[in-house]
Amino acid sequence: MNQLVAALRAHGIAEVDGSALRRAEYSTDASNYRVVPQAVVFPRDAGEVAGVVAVAREHGVAVTARGGGTSVAGNAVGPGIVMDLSAHLNRIDVVDPDARIAVVEPGVVLGSLQRAAAPHGLRFGPDPSTWSRCTVGGMIGNNACGSRALAFGRTADNVLELDVLDGAGRRFTAGRDLDAVPGLSALVNGNLDVIRTELGRFSRQISGYSLEHLLPENGHDLAKALVGTEGTCGIVLRATVRLVETPPSPVLVVLGYPDMPSAADAVPALLTHRPLAMEGLDRRIVDTVRRGRGPSTVPDLPDGDGWLLVEVGTRDRADAVVREAAATAVRVLPDGPEARAIWRIREDGAGLAGRTVDGVQAWPGLEDAAVPPEHLGAYLRDLDALLTEHGLAGSPYGHFGDGCVHVRVDLPLQTGGAALRSLLTDAARLIGGYGGSLSGEHGDGRARGELLPYLYSDRMIGVFERFKALFDPDDRLNPEVVVRPAPLDRDLRRPAAAPLPATDGFAFTHDGGDVTNALHRCVGVGKCRADLGSSGGFMCPSFVAVGDETTSTRGRARVLQELANGSLVPRDWRAPEVHEALDLCLSCKACGTDCPAGVDMATYKSEVLHRAYAGRRRPWTHYTLGRLPQWAGPASRFARPLNALLSVRPIERLALRLGGMDPRRSIPRFAPMTFHRWSKRRVSVPARRVGALPHGAGSTYQRPRVLLWVDTFTDLLSPSIGVAAVELLESAGYEVLTPPPGVCCGLTWITTGQLTAARSKLTALTAALAPYAEQGVPIVGLEPSCTAVLRSDLVELLPDDPRAAAVAAGTVTLAELLTGNDAWVRPDLGGLEVVVQPHCHHHSVMGYGPDQELLRELGATITVLAGCCGLAGNFGMERGHYDVSVAVAETALLPALRAAPPGAVLLADGLSCRTQADQLAGMHGLHLAELLVRGAVTSGARRAST
């Protein structure tokens, strides 16, 4: 391996990485397979790609081209050199609106091409669900399709010309000409009969090579024939593609049916109305969304256990579809928030279907079969019977208008590949019997290549082999894929990962108490590699800022999966590869919600730190920042002299350095009077009397009670928020109770992996708060990250304590509490411009929807930012993280503050968010409690003046 890396560098290829960390990240894609490369290369131009192929030929190693790494069949992994073409070969050279073409490099992300074409009213037709991170080169490799391929065609139908480098090192232009490749014309002419009879029978026949494009009646189109060859015949260096007109006002018709086969039966008749898209969606996938993200995230759907999502260009066509559909129930939606929310559920299908309703892991393999649409209903019934026969289950969805079905199956891969082989062999017979294709858009890869003889004659298989040999005579390009394929049960990732049982850290309840199961939630769909800001997502801030696989949720998960494997990365919680991968994780928890597979990297990082440093000396910041509440309480008694001392900048910088923090930061100041000292001066009902508080008529305490839990940060650093909350809640008619000082959730211990101490803190907190929760008294949290601990981490760290579940269920945010209070006299926030920075934990655990709805109801004009502020608690304070912290802030927060109109207010409930805005932009942020109290005062003044 070292010789290969040295040879690549000697050839002038700059970015070559043979480290275990990098090889772990690229050892798998979005498939079941794990193939560890010898080296990973990030070529900067076409010349370097040619250099890589030359070195590979000289050293006799394989070359695998890779884009976004979202391939589901194992077509983007290989044992030799993996080339990531997305890093540098990502330029859009031409967008010609008159000719309706674009010229792009292979690493261009589809979403980037769509944004470049959109101002001209154009788009690239195919749109796979991974459009936000898949690359055009990868789409060409797999012949990707997506929902709207029904109207606009497959990738092959939209490719005009390719600049190609083949396995022999020859560079040529592939268009409508067979003479570009010696021997190709003879191969085609000698096999016209078998090509005509076995290939090109229906639109989604993607398995094998699409040699029907080489026929004379199809224009001898070599470019189209190379689409779908999965990197086995050539590497695309540049592509000229066709653009199509974007439908101006699509209409979505949602049709409900008793089951998915019944929905499929309706497809042929509906195709006569020329829909733009026709997708199938199973109730079990929708139920997964409701369970994981809350019922409010799913728009109202018509009654049924299966749905067709039919998109058409006009309302008239929508009405015609409704008349034809024979559905049990119908909803018609214009292009808008509800329609987009439904499409997002469909786009996340691969991740959402990765767990059954019972929480069992489900896997690809059978996820991409296609049959002619007229046979789809019958095929689905036979498929259900086949799965039942094998004792398995799955949730079908997919491109029903094209006859393409995606389904992930609860195969017991942790025990080996026998069940996979048995199922896929029987499924291949079934699919072949319907004249179908094992692949409808994902390619054959390592998952299905072995099964091609169930679809094609021996002669056709031989033609495939001879076709590849014309381009790659030494079999260097993505070997063992399509031609002379590897066994489908070889190189499986999951069987090689040993169990990592939960111990004294997190319980991993939803993963069977096994960290390995949790880590394998990541199936590689790669949504963490997309900028989700435009759709309100927060994941993954470090990747958006840095753009390296190491900084993505997927990259980290792959390294942790290698920890469970133990062969490339040591099976040691202290392995340097593991800690390097986790270093730039902000523990923002966004992946827990935004990742469709439910990966929770913040929890994994905390568990790793807990096990790595158990009984050992920890990094210094684990003591200074990780135990902040422990020393901050006593220090706050000397707030004034400490603040004065820290106002001397050289002293503050010294304190930062000594504490393991970046000297460019500033230390937040202690409040001269804490919240609890302020509350002692008020006449109030002490919370400790909750059990004895009288009830019923004549009681002094007629008002509903709430427990205002004031966390350490609010108490010591921002007590004005707690004071405002008391004023607000009392004005809303509540009797406000407060627990005694020092009731801490252990947040800083959790984020630094000091879970034994965190459990101790949470045990004390549960004892203090459970009596209120058990009596139905709402517990109101103010600091989002602390509130999130009570709503999520608490039950994972104290899984056997029923009081913890009561506290979690009884904890609410201010907005959640106030939204249901009809007695509250709402302030008028009309005319107020508010820039809103939701805290990441608020977004991911509680959901920011209630806050957003409340602000709009009160009349505020709001700009809600999507993305992390970049400070993320201790992360942005620590030495070595400052630059990334600022880069994350530059993705949303800082540009929004610079663009804010004069007089705009920054609303930021999180201390981290307010601190980041203050230190980097000089902008003071308000908490929701402060904003509402200020609004109430202003509203009162307005009423008084009138």
Side-chain angles (χ1 to χ4, degrees), residues 292 505-510 587-590 592-593 600 602-603 709 745 747 750-751 762 765-766 783-801 804-812 840-847:
F506 285 100
F508 294 97
T509 307
H510 299 294
S587 295
C588 69
K589 285 185 174 288
T593 294
D600 184 357
T603 294
W709 173 51
C745 66
L747 169 69
I750 293 172
T751 56
L762 286 171
L765 175 142
T766 299
E783 171 59 40
S785 53
C786 296
T787 308
V789 170
L790 269 59
R791 289 271 282 261
S792 61
D793 295 329
L794 173 61
V795 292
E796 276 292 301
L797 288 169
L798 300 178
D800 300 322
D801 190 337
V807 171
T811 300
V812 297
C840 295
H841 293 186
H842 198 154
H843 162 79
S844 59
V845 176
M846 289 84 75

Side-chain angles (χ1 to χ4, degrees), residues 632-646 669-674 677 716:
S636 68
R637 299 171 190 165
F638 308 98
R640 294 187 189 278
L642 279 175
N643 291 344
L645 195 63
L646 292 174
R669 304 301 193 250
F670 289 109
M673 178 178 289
T674 67
R677 287 204 292 271
L716 304 182

Side-chain angles (χ1 to χ4, degrees), residues 396-678:
Y397 65 101
H399 313 298
F400 276 29
D402 287 308
C404 183
V405 179
H406 301 321
V407 59
R408 302 221 162 190
V409 180
D410 58 346
L411 293 154
L413 288 188
Q414 69 276 12
T415 62
L420 176 70
R421 171 170 290 281
S422 177
L423 175 66
L424 291 189
T425 301
D426 287 349
R429 294 190 185 98
L430 173 64
I431 294 161
Y434 277 104
S437 176
L438 289 162
S439 171
E441 64 179 345
H442 294 162
D444 297 312
R446 297 169 184 276
R448 293 177 279 271
E450 183 188 351
L451 302 172
L452 290 179
Y454 288 97
L455 307 183
Y456 299 120
S457 65
D458 290 344
R459 182 179 167 196
M460 191 75 256
I461 297 294
V463 172
F464 289 159
E465 293 176 353
R466 290 165 61 194
F467 179 74
K468 175 178 167 65
L470 293 175
F471 298 86
D472 184 30
D474 296 326
D475 204 15
R476 292 286 159 253
L477 300 184
N478 221 10
E480 298 191 314
V481 170
V482 183
V483 168
R484 293 178 292 278
L488 64 84
D489 51 1
R490 197 189 77 192
D491 300 320
L492 292 171
R493 179 178 70 253
R494 185 59 184 88
L500 293 169
T503 54
D504 59 346
F506 285 100
F508 294 97
T509 307
H510 299 294
D511 298 291
D514 187 348
V515 180
T516 296
N517 286 342
L519 299 177
H520 282 83
R521 281 181 175 270
C522 180
V523 293
V525 295
K527 194 174 181 181
C528 50
R529 285 177 55 97
D531 185 347
L532 305 178
S534 61
S535 59
F538 280 51
M539 177 181 72
C540 171
S542 56
F543 181 83
V544 173
V546 179
D548 188 283
E549 183 74 14
T550 304
T551 61
S552 71
T553 305
R554 182 179 70 180
R556 296 179 179 113
R558 294 316 192 200
V559 175
L560 291 171
Q561 288 170 4
E562 288 298 325
L563 165 72
N565 179 290
S567 60
L568 178 61
V569 173
R571 194 174 166 83
D572 183 346
W573 298 100
R574 292 172 291 169
E577 295 86 357
V578 169
H579 290 264
E580 183 177 349
L582 293 173
D583 180 53
L584 293 181
C585 172
L586 282 75
S587 295
C588 69
K589 285 185 174 288
C591 49
T593 294
D594 292 346
C595 172
V599 173
D600 184 357
M601 192 54 61
T603 294
Y604 308 161
K605 179 176 182 178
S606 181
E607 183 75 15
V608 167
L609 294 174
H610 170 64
R611 298 201 190 198
Y613 293 111
R616 298 183 178 90
R617 183 179 177 181
R618 291 177 163 270
W620 185 235
T621 53
H622 287 198
Y623 302 104
T624 57
L625 297 174
R627 300 181 183 180
L628 187 148
Q630 186 172 297
W631 59 261
S636 68
R637 299 171 190 165
F638 308 98
R640 294 187 189 278
L642 279 175
N643 291 344
L645 195 63
L646 292 174
S647 66
V648 180
R649 186 58 181 154
I651 295 176
E652 184 181 38
R653 282 199 296 267
L654 177 62
L656 288 163
R657 287 193 179 94
L658 292 175
M661 291 169 274
D662 194 290
R664 289 169 286 186
R665 286 291 179 189
S666 181
I667 298 175
R669 304 301 193 250
F670 289 109
M673 178 178 289
T674 67
F675 171 84
H676 282 100
R677 287 204 292 271
W678 169 85

Side-chain angles (χ1 to χ4, degrees), residues 148 151-152 245-253 273-277 310-321 332-335 343:
R148 291 165 188 86
F152 303 129
E245 188 175 340
T246 302
S249 301
V251 180
L252 177 63
V253 184
H273 298 286
R274 297 174 61 193
L276 301 171
V310 185
E311 185 177 84
V312 292
T314 66
R315 180 64 199 225
D316 288 345
R317 285 194 175 172
D319 293 340
V321 165
V332 179
L333 298 169
D335 188 28
W343 280 119

Side-chain angles (χ1 to χ4, degrees), residues 730-749:
E730 289 182 344
S731 72
Y734 293 103
E735 186 73 40
V736 180
L737 311 175
T738 56
V743 177
C744 179
C745 66
L747 169 69
T748 57
W749 282 270

Side-chain angles (χ1 to χ4, degrees), residues 766-780:
T766 299
L769 303 189
Y772 308 99
E774 290 166 348
Q775 291 193 37
V777 177
I779 302 167
V780 180

